[in-house]
Amino acid sequence: ATAYDVLKTTDGGRSWRELGLNRKLTDSQNRLIGEAIAVDPNDSNTIFFGSDKEGLFISRDGGEHWIRAIGIPQDSDYGIRCMVFDENSGESGKGSQTAYVGVSGYGVYVTHDGGKSFTKMNGSPTHQARMKLAGGRLYVTMMKKSGTMATSMQGGLYVYRNSEWKNITPPPVYGKDMAALAVRESDPDYIITAMAPFVGTDMFRSRDGGATWEKLAYTRNSADICFNPLNEKELFITYGA
């Protein structure tokens, strides 16, 4: 066994094996932000793995072999912390063409050729915590204190739509670090977000894409929340950090 690796199961979790990538995922300080592994919804053999200090790795054969992506920085302060594929940019069995990768300290990078090349999105959040894609909009929470590289951007919640980035952080916590994020796929205007752990416990909901917000009575120190994809009236939440 090695200190760092990607594990794979083909029997529903009854057994696991190491794939031999041997790259560090993250450190303990930033364990609460992610996700740093993503599988292409249009091709389960294509996997993105975001390392701590060595860039982005891509596998095209279910994790048996890996290559380092071109155009992704390798000297990030806290590595690659989140990523998401655009399922609508490809076809089943042929793979997705568009994917977004958050590189801490630098910004969000995008590929439109299935990962062959990446470019930085100008004005994108520099220290990402969570990333969601719904209705053609890319939502990103930002934790400024999670990085060491200098940035003029504030913590909060940002959205990329109509080819521009906009800060849509709830006014009561404007400028504060935000982490947990959930967006309904069936209704991309419906958003729930929460303050970053160690910053606060307030949670907020918007029904109009971030134009207005209401504070929820339920508060928790949470780093991640998500809607049940089979029943979007249900919300799952992690507690603690």
Side-chain angles (χ1 to χ4, degrees), residues 192-234:
I192 294 181
T193 189
M195 298 182 71
F198 313 117
V199 176
T201 59
D202 290 344
M203 298 180 67
F204 298 87
R205 174 173 58 194
S206 175
R207 302 173 189 265
D208 53 15
T212 61
W213 294 90
E214 59 180 310
K215 182 179 176 181
L216 299 180
Y218 185 85
T219 60
R220 279 292 184 271
N221 188 333
S222 175
D224 193 22
I225 50 179
C226 68
F227 288 106
N228 180 347
L230 301 179
N231 180 8
E232 290 189 322
K233 291 183 179 180
E234 293 184 350

Side-chain angles (χ1 to χ4, degrees), residues 150-241:
T151 178
S152 59
M153 295 190 73
Q154 296 177 310
L157 172 60
Y158 294 80
V159 62
Y160 184 77
R161 58 187 171 199
N162 301 324
S163 301
E164 65 177 2
W165 287 97
K166 183 179 181 180
N167 188 334
I168 58 169
T169 308
V173 291
Y174 195 89
K176 302 287 187 180
D177 284 354
M178 306 296 287
L181 173 66
V183 182
R184 283 182 174 174
E185 291 190 10
S186 63
D187 181 6
D189 283 333
Y190 198 106
I191 312 164
I192 294 181
T193 189
M195 298 182 71
F198 313 117
V199 176
T201 59
D202 290 344
M203 298 180 67
F204 298 87
R205 174 173 58 194
S206 175
R207 302 173 189 265
D208 53 15
T212 61
W213 294 90
E214 59 180 310
K215 182 179 176 181
L216 299 180
Y218 185 85
T219 60
R220 279 292 184 271
N221 188 333
S222 175
D224 193 22
I225 50 179
C226 68
F227 288 106
N228 180 347
L230 301 179
N231 180 8
E232 290 189 322
K233 291 183 179 180
E234 293 184 350
L235 186 72
F236 297 99
I237 179 170
T238 59
Y239 177 64

